[in-house]
Amino acid sequence: MSDKFDVVVIGAGPAGYVAAIRAAQLGLRTACVDEWIGAGEGASFGGTCLNVGCIPSKALLDTSEQYYKVTHSFAAHGIEVNDASLNVAKMLERKDKIVSTLTGGIAMLFKANGIEAIHGHGRILAGKRVEVSSPGTDEVVRTLDADHIVIASGSEPIPLPSAPFDDRMIVDNAGALDFKEVPKRLAIIGAGVIGLELGSVWRRLGSEVVLLEAMDTFLGTAEREVSREAAKQFKIQGLDIRLGAFVQSAKTIDDEVHVVYKLNGVEETIIVDRLVVAIGRRAFTVGLLGADSGVELDDRGRVQTDHNWRTTAPDIYAVGDVAAGPMLAHKGAEEGIAVAELIARGHGHVNYETIPWVIYTHPEIAWVGKTSDELEAEGRSIKTGSFPFAATGRARAMEEAMGFVKIIADADTDRILGVHMVGPHVSELIQEAVVAMEYGASSEDLARTCHAHPTLSEAVHEAALAVDKRAIHRAN
């Protein structure tokens, strides 16, 4: 078996496995090195996203939403269910089956595309060589020679020194996806995307959930009205979000976690059954770079790249969470495709202005483009239109009459600069806005596009009409 490849990809998460597949499609002899060990102690491709992130969390979010509907929402539809119960073991079994099916699917895609999948830890050496060691050991099993190397080693949870992980009572996001029973009392440090999604899962299943957020603002990167509406809905659901809370310590005492934090200068203590630390993620570069690799890191520990994803070493690239930019699976996947095409064809492209963001809570939150605050800070003259889901027949019929769509357009050119949503299924609705912005559409373009009735997408249509004060189904 030859150890010479046109492209060696390190990491099989969304950025890495997509880069490998596209490189192989373009006729390049490709290998992908990944060290993730699955539940069966073998290779499990897909990285954090597929194994302990995006996919398993959405599986639990869906289960918890179904359970909540049975116990809280079905009565409004005239459906009466008595003594509904939750089988946590079955819920986790379903989640694990989904993960194993999809990770196995990546292995099949590698085989179908002629990609050599190598289970091990990749370390870059001088001369575009990749040293592969057995997972979890220092035993070198192969050394690969590459014309090009793509680093896609992903990210890892940021630990909090005052609340060290013990993988039982104090856990990261992966541990929070594998509780064997519903904790009566759950605290989460961090009210960002991960904290909110995990909090939503366990709250809907019956936990008392407290989120301790150090920032004074809630979802500060989102549009102001969106974050306010989301906060209101989460409060109705019983999520206890405490802003400006700085955790001082967390200790396990007699199967309870005692969390000490400061709020407005006053020290407070809460006692919970489980604690999740979800304060963010950082680039994973442990053991990645040999001293002579020529690849440098930036001041935040990420692999340093230029605007074409090139590192400081010739013919070595970095994509996804390990490089700069938002840590989003779809952003990494687009970069993986772009780099493969850059290597094979000399050019690749990602439009960072049209990358959507989604938070899979209930209601869902999604946006693309810039916020009003960002545009005003740039001195841009803007006009806006919004429309509530409560004024759409479909949302009313679904008993999902919450949230709204807001569109921001340039005051002079009418070009869409940002679209922000909170409400039912906005993770799907946002894609219409992404496509519109990718093609440089104006709010008038959306306003003159026929939308089926009755649908949730009518809220997008009416918001576009509202930009010029001509919404039909609400007062202007």
Side-chain angles (χ1 to χ4, degrees):
M1 185 180 296
S2 173
D3 285 328
K4 179 70 171 72
F5 296 90
D6 298 321
V7 178
V8 172
V9 180
I10 300 177
Y17 84 75
V18 169
I21 290 173
R22 185 64 183 132
Q25 287 177 343
L26 292 167
L28 301 174
R29 185 164 190 268
T30 304
C32 186
V33 181
D34 187 85
E35 64 179 314
W36 197 283
I37 300 174
E41 301 301 316
S44 185
F45 301 115
T48 294
C49 177
L50 191 43
N51 284 280
V52 295
C54 315
I55 301 305
S57 66
K58 303 312 167 286
L60 294 191
L61 278 161
D62 189 70
T63 297
S64 67
E65 184 173 347
Q66 302 302 333
Y67 180 72
Y68 188 86
K69 286 180 178 179
V70 169
T71 55
H72 291 79
S73 304
F74 275 10
H77 294 268
I79 304 172
E80 297 180 0
V81 180
N82 297 317
D83 301 322
S85 62
L86 176 70
N87 185 329
V88 175
K90 186 69 174 178
M91 176 182 74
L92 297 180
E93 181 185 337
R94 171 182 176 272
K95 178 259 296 182
D96 292 341
K97 183 178 180 181
I98 291 168
V99 169
S100 64
T101 299
L102 293 175
T103 56
I106 294 175
M108 292 176 62
L109 287 170
F110 278 178
K111 185 176 181 179
N113 285 280
I115 298 163
E116 186 166 338
I118 302 172
H119 192 208
H121 177 84
R123 180 180 176 85
I124 300 173
L125 307 177
K128 293 181 287 187
R129 291 178 298 139
V130 177
E131 181 183 81
V132 181
S133 56
S134 295
T137 74
D138 294 326
E139 178 190 359
V140 177
V141 293
R142 291 178 71 176
T143 300
L144 313 177
D145 290 306
D147 291 332
H148 304 272
I149 298 173
V150 179
I151 302 171
S153 52
S155 60
E156 62 179 348
I158 297 174
L160 186 62
S162 58
F165 300 127
D166 64 14
D167 297 328
R168 188 176 75 89
M169 305 292 288
I170 304 175
V171 300
D172 60 10
N173 64 288
L177 295 171
D178 210 27
F179 291 150
K180 298 302 185 280
E181 59 184 22
V182 178
K184 186 177 186 304
R185 302 161 300 176
L186 174 66
I188 300 175
I189 304 176
V193 175
I194 296 173
L196 287 171
E197 291 185 356
L198 293 174
S200 294
V201 167
W202 295 107
R203 174 63 192 137
R204 292 197 293 244
L205 297 178
S207 293
E208 299 171 7
V209 179
V210 176
L211 292 103
L212 303 174
E213 171 56 54
M215 300 294 290
D216 291 324
T217 56
F218 177 64
L219 289 180
T221 56
E223 183 73 5
R224 281 170 291 170
E225 294 101 319
V226 167
S227 61
R228 283 199 295 266
E229 174 67 14
K232 182 181 79 174
Q233 295 297 334
F234 296 151
K235 184 176 181 180
I236 292 171
Q237 294 169 21
L239 286 177
D240 184 353
I241 302 172
R242 303 178 188 181
L243 303 177
F246 292 86
V247 173
Q248 307 298 301
S249 66
K251 296 180 180 178
T252 301
I253 304 173
D254 296 331
D255 279 338
E256 295 178 327
V257 184
H258 293 238
V259 184
V260 179
Y261 65 97
K262 279 189 176 181
L263 184 63
N264 299 322
V266 178
E267 191 169 273
E268 300 185 21
T269 300
I270 56 172
I271 300 174
V272 296
D273 300 298
R274 292 290 188 275
L275 174 65
V276 180
V277 179
I279 59 173
R281 299 182 65 83
R282 64 187 179 189
F284 181 71
T285 58
V286 176
L288 172 68
L289 305 173
D292 58 356
S293 69
V295 177
E296 297 180 7
L297 305 181
D298 66 15
D299 57 0
R300 294 178 58 181
R302 304 169 300 192
V303 175
Q304 185 174 317
T305 63
D306 64 12
H307 66 281
N308 280 320
W309 313 282
R310 294 186 175 94
T311 70
T312 50
D315 301 317
I316 301 179
Y317 307 80
V319 294
D321 287 4
V322 77
M327 291 185 174
L328 299 170
H330 44 282
K331 170 260 192 187
E334 289 300 308
E335 289 178 335
I337 290 173
V339 162
E341 293 180 348
L342 180 68
I343 292 169
R345 296 175 172 174
H347 56 84
H349 173 72
V350 176
N351 182 359
Y352 290 99
E353 299 298 317
T354 57
I355 293 177
W357 292 68
V358 179
I359 305 176
Y360 295 88
T361 47
H362 185 80
E364 292 182 339
I365 302 165
W367 70 89
V368 62
K370 296 184 177 181
T371 65
S372 299
D373 287 344
E374 289 172 326
L375 291 165
E376 289 168 4
E378 294 174 4
R380 300 287 292 270
S381 179
I382 61 175
K383 54 183 179 178
T384 67
S386 62
F387 193 82
F389 283 104
T392 69
R394 185 65 188 277
R396 287 286 184 182
M398 295 167 58
E399 290 290 329
E400 298 279 357
M402 64 184 79
F404 60 88
V405 175
K406 180 177 180 179
I407 295 177
I408 307 171
D410 187 281
D412 299 319
T413 67
D414 194 37
R415 183 167 182 165
I416 299 170
L417 304 175
V419 180
H420 307 267
M421 306 177 178
V422 55
H425 301 294
V426 297
S427 59
E428 304 295 338
L429 294 180
I430 195 63
Q431 202 58 40
E432 177 180 9
V434 174
V435 172
M437 290 181 63
E438 184 67 33
Y439 283 92
S442 64
S443 71
E444 178 76 6
D445 291 325
L446 277 184
R448 292 193 176 278
T449 299
C450 183
H451 289 66
H453 173 77
T455 61
L456 297 174
S457 68
E458 288 178 288
V460 179
H461 186 215
E462 292 273 3
L465 287 165
V467 171
D468 285 320
K469 306 296 186 291
R470 53 193 178 99
I472 301 299
H473 292 94
R474 70 169 299 185
N476 287 293

